[in-house]
Amino acid sequence: LLREEVLKNVSGYGFRIVGDVKIESTQRDFKTDVAKIKATPADIYFTIVFPPTLDILAKEMKLQGVNNFSSVGLLAISADLSLFEGSWYTDNYLADENYIEQFTKANPTLRFNARTAPHGYDIFNLIVKGQETGNIVEYLKNLDEYNGKVGLAKKTNPNTFSLPIGIWTIKDAKTVLVK
């Protein structure tokens, strides 16, 4: 579904798709696909696949000399961040820069994109605050903005909040917010 949305909307942002290779989540051999990708020169190669498929694809791309690689926040949950050194990706912005470090220290063996946890934290706090008022629905209806772990969320229509998005990169095998 995400792939279809990207394909449908990307031209509205000034991008042009020069090739499209669909990858199956169970696929493990990417030699032919990467050769096709490499044969179509592009400014950036964007993928939306989950680990471990993502890591296997990245290894083959590196082997074949394809390095201008990007994705969404999935890069952050790779088992080997060094595969994506210099790659950029979009993910949640965090107002509290210490949150990732605190989360990782508290959960050292959990392979998880820690930038998604603040959403859960903020949602839980919104529910608690709503419950404390006695009427969660009215509380949320009347809320125009909320300043939480992900930063300032503003209501964009009666049922939707807009959240800040960050541009991240991999540097020294660590995720780093681009400032």
Side-chain angles (χ1 to χ4, degrees):
L1 184 61
L2 183 56
R3 177 181 174 273
E4 285 75 21
E5 284 298 310
V6 169
L7 291 172
K8 183 172 78 176
N9 293 301
V10 73
S11 63
Y13 293 94
F15 293 97
R16 185 172 61 92
I17 295 174
V18 296
D20 179 24
V21 177
K22 188 172 182 180
I23 293 171
E24 298 300 326
S25 62
T26 57
Q27 190 173 338
R28 296 297 180 255
D29 182 354
F30 295 103
K31 288 179 181 75
T32 303
D33 292 317
V34 174
K36 282 184 206 172
I37 291 167
K38 190 175 178 182
T40 308
D43 294 330
I44 192 78
Y45 297 96
F46 188 84
T47 187
I48 304 170
V49 294
F50 289 86
T53 307
L54 176 65
D55 296 353
I56 298 165
L57 173 63
K59 284 177 188 172
E60 186 61 38
M61 290 179 83
K62 291 252 183 227
L63 281 172
Q64 292 194 37
V66 178
N67 295 307
N68 46 339
F69 190 80
S70 180
S71 186
V72 291
L74 300 170
L75 298 185
I77 59 174
S78 167
D80 183 2
L81 289 176
S82 69
L83 291 169
F84 305 101
E85 191 70 26
S87 295
W88 62 269
Y89 62 99
T90 58
D91 204 343
N92 300 319
Y93 179 82
L94 286 180
D96 181 354
E97 293 185 24
N98 296 318
Y99 186 86
I100 293 174
E101 186 178 333
Q102 293 167 350
F103 185 92
T104 305
K105 280 182 182 175
N107 305 281
T109 60
L110 184 61
R111 191 168 143 212
F112 180 73
N113 183 349
R115 281 174 294 288
T116 61
H119 283 286
Y121 182 87
D122 287 349
I123 290 167
F124 176 78
N125 282 325
L126 284 170
I127 291 169
V128 169
K129 287 180 181 187
Q131 181 65 29
E132 288 172 348
T133 69
N135 190 330
I136 295 172
V137 174
E138 283 303 311
Y139 172 77
L140 293 174
K141 274 186 182 177
N142 295 321
L143 191 66
D144 290 323
E145 61 184 35
Y146 177 77
N147 199 4
K149 290 287 185 186
V150 297
L152 185 62
K154 294 183 178 184
K155 192 176 280 185
T156 54
N157 70 49
N159 298 312
T160 307
F161 279 85
S162 176
L163 299 169
I165 298 295
I167 305 296
W168 295 79
T169 190
I170 308 293
K171 183 176 182 190
D172 299 326
K174 292 184 180 169
T175 60
V176 178
L177 180 64
V178 177
K179 296 183 180 188

